[in-house]
Amino acid sequence: MARHLITSALPYINGIKHLGNMVGSMLPADVYSRYMRQRGHDVLYICATDEHGTPAELAAKDAGQSVDAFCAEQHDAQKAIYEGFGLAFDHFGRSSSQQNVELTQHFARKLHENGFIEERAIRQVYSKADERFLPDRYIVGTCPHCGYDKARGDQCENCTRVLDPTDLIDARSAISGSSDLEVRETKHLFLLQSKLQGEVEKFIDETGEEWPTLASSIARKWLTEGLHDRAITRDLDWGVPVPADVWPDLAAEGKVFYVWFDAPIEYIGSTKEWADAAPDGEVRDWKSWWYEADDVRYTEFMAKDNVPFHSVMFPATQLGTREPWKKVDFLKAFNWLNYYGGKFSTSQRRGIFTDAALELLPADYWRYFLIANAPESDDTSFTWELFSSSVNKDLADTLGNFVNRVLSFSRKRFGDEVPAGAEPGEAEAKLGEEIARLLAEYEEHMDALQFRKAAAALRALWSAGNSYLEEKAPWLEIKTDKDAAALTLRTAMNLIHLYSVVSEPFIPASAKAMRGAFALADDTALWVTADEAKALASVPAGTPFTVPPVLFAKITEDDLAAYKERFGGEE
């Protein structure tokens, strides 16, 4: 059985992330990780904060802190929020870790030894007002492609085109705002991607066919346009230092590696952090997940703007080392989640941010809605109307109400144990067949990483229970046939337990509450086989149970009005 290595794009350190960031990487990776663990696979889910680069320095400056203090504080703040969302990372590291410094420098040395790094003199923007060279993100201006007036010197946030600082129109310093800029000569290291184009094309040809169209098309577009040699060092005070044993002059000048060079290597670095943090007596072999890891299937999750770097630049870096580093097998890419037709934006504080989301409502409300509306095939738009409708209809009415009315009615009529009553009949056999069919459909979509389809299948599983309950009507049965009513309720209770297992990847806290309603010796969320699902007999008669608190409170019209007032709700 393959081991499954799962990574999600590293959230950047400059502030709390918005819901679009959550649904585009970390949340679907968590849902998939939880599902694969339930199916019995050996899973390692790795993530980290991405802490180097210009925005970290600028954000620290705005906060009046040193960069290292700012990053440490922000890492802890982000980690707490992700724990609040129930993200079950095996390790959540930091790209500024010593492990990543050592690995990044190792990669650079190997690339240099193999002739894929070259020192070049280039002309770079210098700010007279700031008395320093300006790295790409220290320069802002108008994008020459789409006219967006807040484009950065490395990439336009609006159209996602990769830029050089000299491409910008009306360029100015992001530090001082000065437009008194000039171009001067300096030296930097370049990764010779052009020499690796053929190898990257071969990798994409062999691997990319399995990827979603969004991911493979972006990778092939870059390859069609041709891979260009790219500067991988910057003039910054914060970053992985250029090793002095190889490039003494550049090291003396304080050059550091470009954030997009060291950030993907942090997937490996964070895995080594995980291994180094093992409790006494436990040995973790980080290298077996990344080096000569033929038994590992590696899945990456990210939004579409991250795809070029992960599908082309990082594989090129790995290939150029001439070492057997594990490369991605499946790249799951997402489109944008918009907010009422406009983009979520960390820099512009537009949309709902993860800390505010958790203040409003429990994590499971957000987890379910975001995955059920994941922007897989195209961009999707968050509206409070859609969110409240999804919560009220799917979570409160279809699932929560089913759990509450079954357990409450059974306790009222039969006491605090699962009732015995009649043996299963034709209706239960029909239900079992339907549940097994829907479970197979759910598994098929989860295995294929089709999250919206998986959510629809999960919703159909919940609906099947309501249909069965309406058909059997135990509140009427009990008037004429108490044993028949007991059978209906016992079957429905088994459905609740089944839901607690299959819903766990989506709504883990609520799933745990459902499982906890039954006093079973084994309270784990191990997956259910088709035969077990069909039998609906995992909770036998006589099992003590309790009625949990209401799983999902409905969002009222007053709530909706308050949310729109606070966050905005117009196009």
Side-chain angles (χ1 to χ4, degrees):
M1 185 178 292
R3 295 183 295 156
H4 288 266
L5 174 64
I6 297 170
T7 64
S8 53
L10 310 186
Y12 200 69
I13 199 68
N14 65 333
I16 302 304
K17 303 298 109 179
H18 53 67
L19 293 183
N21 184 282
M22 176 69 70
V23 74
S25 58
M26 292 175 285
L27 181 55
D30 180 72
V31 170
Y32 185 62
S33 298
R34 287 176 176 274
Y35 170 74
M36 296 303 284
R37 289 191 191 104
Q38 284 185 286
R39 298 301 301 269
H41 296 286
D42 187 4
V43 174
L44 186 65
Y45 177 23
I46 293 293
C47 194
T49 38
D50 180 4
E51 301 188 7
H52 292 139
T54 311
E57 289 195 359
L58 292 173
K61 178 176 177 288
D62 290 343
Q65 294 178 281
S66 65
V67 192
D68 55 348
F70 172 81
C71 288
E73 182 181 285
Q74 290 299 314
H75 170 83
D76 290 346
Q78 289 199 30
K79 184 179 180 182
I81 288 170
Y82 303 145
E83 288 172 352
F85 268 92
L87 302 184
F89 304 116
D90 287 288
H91 187 74
F92 184 67
R94 302 182 60 188
S95 69
S96 61
S97 69
Q98 186 58 33
Q99 291 90 335
N100 194 42
V101 169
E102 293 170 0
L103 279 162
T104 298
Q105 292 179 339
H106 169 81
F107 268 70
R109 287 188 181 98
K110 286 297 179 182
L111 288 161
H112 175 66
E113 288 173 15
N114 296 323
F116 295 118
I117 287 183
E118 182 176 284
E119 185 176 332
R120 293 181 182 175
I122 66 167
R123 293 175 66 76
Q124 188 175 340
V125 175
Y126 184 88
S127 170
K128 293 180 181 179
D130 302 305
E131 297 183 330
R132 61 174 293 174
F133 284 103
L134 297 180
D136 39 28
R137 286 203 179 195
Y138 273 61
I139 308 165
V140 293
T142 300
C143 175
H145 303 289
C146 71
Y148 181 60
D149 64 357
K150 297 181 181 64
R152 304 184 305 253
D154 64 339
Q155 187 176 27
C156 176
E157 185 183 53
N158 186 58
C159 70
T160 76
R161 291 288 290 267
V162 174
L163 303 170
D164 284 319
T166 52
D167 295 335
L168 293 173
I169 301 166
D170 298 326
R172 58 195 181 278
S173 167
I175 305 170
S176 61
S178 173
S179 57
D180 188 9
L181 310 177
E182 66 180 28
V183 177
R184 295 184 181 180
E185 187 172 282
T186 185
K187 289 186 177 180
H188 281 286
L189 298 179
F190 278 71
L191 177 63
L192 305 185
Q193 293 185 135
S194 59
K195 294 174 68 173
L196 290 159
Q197 165 121 9
E199 294 177 52
V200 176
E201 283 180 341
K202 183 173 183 290
F203 164 70
I204 297 295
D205 287 342
E206 293 174 350
T207 311
E209 288 296 326
E210 190 182 346
W211 300 355
T213 301
L214 178 62
S216 60
S217 62
I218 292 173
R220 293 188 188 283
K221 181 175 183 291
W222 268 49
L223 290 169
T224 300
E225 293 176 357
L227 296 191
H228 302 290
D229 300 339
R230 190 170 183 86
I232 57 167
T233 51
R234 294 291 188 269
D235 294 283
L236 294 170
D237 297 325
W238 174 250
V240 176
V242 169
D245 58 317
V246 186
W247 298 284
D249 292 344
L250 296 186
E253 293 174 12
K255 307 282 188 185
V256 300
F257 284 107
Y258 175 42
V259 62
W260 268 115
F261 182 74
D262 80 81
I265 297 171
E266 167 58 10
Y267 296 132
I268 308 173
S270 188
T271 309
K272 190 171 189 303
E273 293 171 50
W274 162 78
D276 292 345
D280 291 342
E282 181 180 341
V283 178
R284 295 173 176 172
D285 184 4
W286 70 271
K287 209 166 189 178
S288 73
W289 289 91
W290 284 102
Y291 201 87
E292 296 181 338
D294 294 335
D295 65 331
V296 172
R297 179 171 172 80
Y298 177 22
T299 306
E300 292 180 341
F301 290 79
M302 68 198 62
K304 59 186 175 183
D305 57 332
N306 285 333
V307 170
F309 300 99
H310 289 78
S311 63
V312 174
M313 186 172 178
F314 186 39
T317 300
Q318 293 175 300
L319 288 162
T321 65
R322 299 299 186 238
E323 294 179 324
W325 294 104
K326 180 64 185 176
K327 290 175 285 297
V328 62
D329 293 300
F330 191 88
L331 197 160
K332 176 66 175 180
F334 291 85
N335 287 282
W336 303 127
L337 175 69
N338 293 320
Y339 183 76
Y340 281 92
K343 288 183 65 174
F344 277 87
S345 173
T346 299
S347 60
Q348 298 176 41
R349 297 292 298 177
R350 175 179 170 79
I352 307 154
F353 286 72
T354 50
D355 54 348
L358 291 179
E359 288 172 13
L360 291 182
L361 294 165
D364 282 357
Y365 292 54
W366 301 104
R367 288 179 63 106
Y368 174 76
F369 171 80
L370 290 171
I371 293 297
N373 295 276
E376 290 176 298
S377 57
D378 50 24
D379 292 350
T380 59
S381 190
F382 178 96
T383 69
W384 285 108
E385 292 82 0
L386 180 62
F387 174 70
S388 62
S389 174
S390 181
V391 167
N392 290 348
K393 290 180 180 178
D394 297 347
L395 294 180
D397 287 343
T398 305
L399 178 60
N401 186 48
F402 177 80
V403 172
N404 185 262
R405 65 175 174 159
V406 166
L407 296 179
S408 296
F409 185 72
S410 187
R411 183 178 63 178
K412 181 179 179 181
R413 294 306 185 103
F414 294 97
D416 294 329
E417 293 183 353
V418 176
E423 291 300 307
E426 184 179 337
E428 288 69 40
K430 178 183 174 185
L431 174 66
E433 293 289 342
E434 176 71 357
I435 291 296
R437 182 188 68 79
L438 290 170
L439 180 62
E441 186 178 314
Y442 177 58
E443 291 174 353
E444 178 186 349
H445 296 317
M446 287 293 283
D447 289 340
L449 288 82
Q450 294 288 333
F451 293 103
R452 292 181 71 152
K453 291 180 178 178
L458 179 61
R459 188 164 53 243
L461 278 163
W462 299 341
S463 295
N466 284 278
S467 297
Y468 169 76
L469 205 63
E470 292 301 320
E471 178 187 338
K472 293 294 294 290
W475 48 89
L476 298 178
E477 282 182 310
I478 201 164
K479 296 176 180 179
T480 57
D481 190 339
K482 191 172 182 180
D483 282 350
L487 164 64
T488 299
L489 291 168
R490 185 174 73 250
T491 303
M493 289 183 185
N494 273 278
L495 280 174
I496 292 171
H497 189 264
L498 172 75
Y499 296 161
S500 78
V501 174
V502 300
S503 305
E504 202 274 346
F506 282 69
I507 47 172
S510 306
K512 185 176 181 180
M514 284 189 276
R515 283 196 306 282
F518 303 102
L520 295 171
D522 184 8
D523 187 31
T524 57
L526 293 178
W527 203 247
V528 180
T529 66
D531 287 341
E532 289 170 338
K534 193 179 298 185
L536 290 170
S538 58
V539 183
T543 302
F545 72 90
T546 57
V547 181
V550 173
L551 291 177
F552 306 101
K554 281 195 171 185
I555 296 173
T556 67
E557 288 297 324
D558 288 344
D559 293 331
L560 187 59
Y563 299 157
K564 292 176 70 174
E565 174 70 23
R566 176 177 172 184
F567 296 97
E570 301 298 330
E571 290 288 341

